[in-house]
Amino acid sequence: MTKALLIIDYTNDFVASNGALTCGTSAQKIESTIVRLADQFLEADDYVLLPTDTHQPNDQFHPEHKLFPEHNLVGSWGHELYGKLASWYTTHQESKRVWQFAKNRYSAFQNTNLDNYLRERGITELWLTGVCTDICVLHTAIYAYNLNYKLTVPEVGVATFTPQGQEWALAHFKDCLGATVIPVN
């Protein structure tokens, strides 16, 4: 069965200590897990997808404009993939099994071609990693659940701003979306 690893919003603005909307240390701690999973998925002839939050400067019509400071502006340092994942992507970006794409809402499915991409390739199982567990990862999971995808969330592959948000989202994945949550080893 072909499956896909989604690495959601793992960018400088969300992960680096000086990012515009950073989760900080909690996001930095999952870096090795994400890169290790990306390698494992490619070695198994599965897919690695990088839905990336993408905004235009001064977009007063985007709903996040009123909620958060500007972040992940197209072409900026903050929009670039973080750390070891940036290097991994540079090495593998020509693979037909690696796809980075822009998203402009919390869910990686909203306003994108993700569902068609997955269905064309017969992918029915998604592993969700990245940030923020209780925002973009959560909304992607809900959308995927409603489209009947099987979900797996490695607990050490997702991070967010607060321990409470992390705990709540992990429970929601398992209890309300039927996801397999892989606990910390």
Side-chain angles (χ1 to χ4, degrees):
M1 170 186 290
T2 304
K3 59 189 177 192
L5 173 69
L6 274 67
I7 304 172
I8 300 167
D9 296 338
Y10 205 71
T11 65
N12 288 325
D13 267 350
F14 286 121
V15 182
S17 296
N18 59 337
L21 192 57
T22 188
C23 295
T25 305
S26 66
Q28 294 161 14
K29 287 180 181 177
I30 66 173
E31 180 179 29
S32 295
T33 297
I34 287 174
V35 172
R36 181 177 40 81
L37 285 169
D39 283 336
Q40 289 173 355
F41 269 67
L42 275 191
E43 287 169 13
D45 287 329
D46 289 317
Y47 289 81
V48 178
L49 311 179
L50 299 102
T52 305
D53 191 41
T54 303
H55 297 282
Q56 298 298 321
N58 304 310
D59 183 358
Q60 64 184 356
F61 300 106
H62 194 288
E64 287 183 35
H65 176 76
K66 296 175 183 169
L67 299 172
F68 303 112
E70 283 194 324
H71 61 281
N72 276 33
L73 299 177
V74 68
S76 71
W77 168 86
H79 187 249
E80 295 172 10
L81 296 172
Y82 176 79
K84 293 176 187 171
L85 182 62
S87 300
W88 183 93
Y89 180 73
T90 298
T91 302
H92 296 94
Q93 66 185 347
E94 298 302 321
S95 170
K96 293 182 189 224
R97 295 185 176 269
V98 175
W99 178 40
Q100 182 181 20
F101 62 96
K103 66 180 190 68
N104 65 1
R105 292 294 189 263
Y106 297 150
S107 172
F109 287 93
Q110 186 68 44
N111 301 333
T112 73
N113 196 40
L114 179 56
D115 186 44
N116 288 336
Y117 181 95
L118 296 169
R119 291 185 192 282
E120 288 169 353
R121 288 153 181 82
I123 299 168
T124 58
E125 181 179 349
L126 305 178
W127 283 49
L128 304 180
T129 62
V131 295
C132 297
T133 313
D134 54 348
I135 305 174
C136 293
V137 178
L138 173 67
H139 286 262
T140 298
I142 292 168
Y143 207 126
Y145 168 82
N146 287 329
L147 292 171
N148 295 315
Y149 287 98
K150 180 181 176 190
L151 300 172
T152 299
V153 180
E155 193 173 324
V156 294
V158 292
T160 195
F161 301 107
T162 67
Q164 299 84 0
Q166 180 81 350
E167 183 180 329
W168 179 87
L170 290 170
H172 190 81
F173 294 143
K174 182 181 173 190
D175 299 337
C176 298
L177 304 178
T180 300
V181 175
I182 300 172
V184 175
N185 295 337

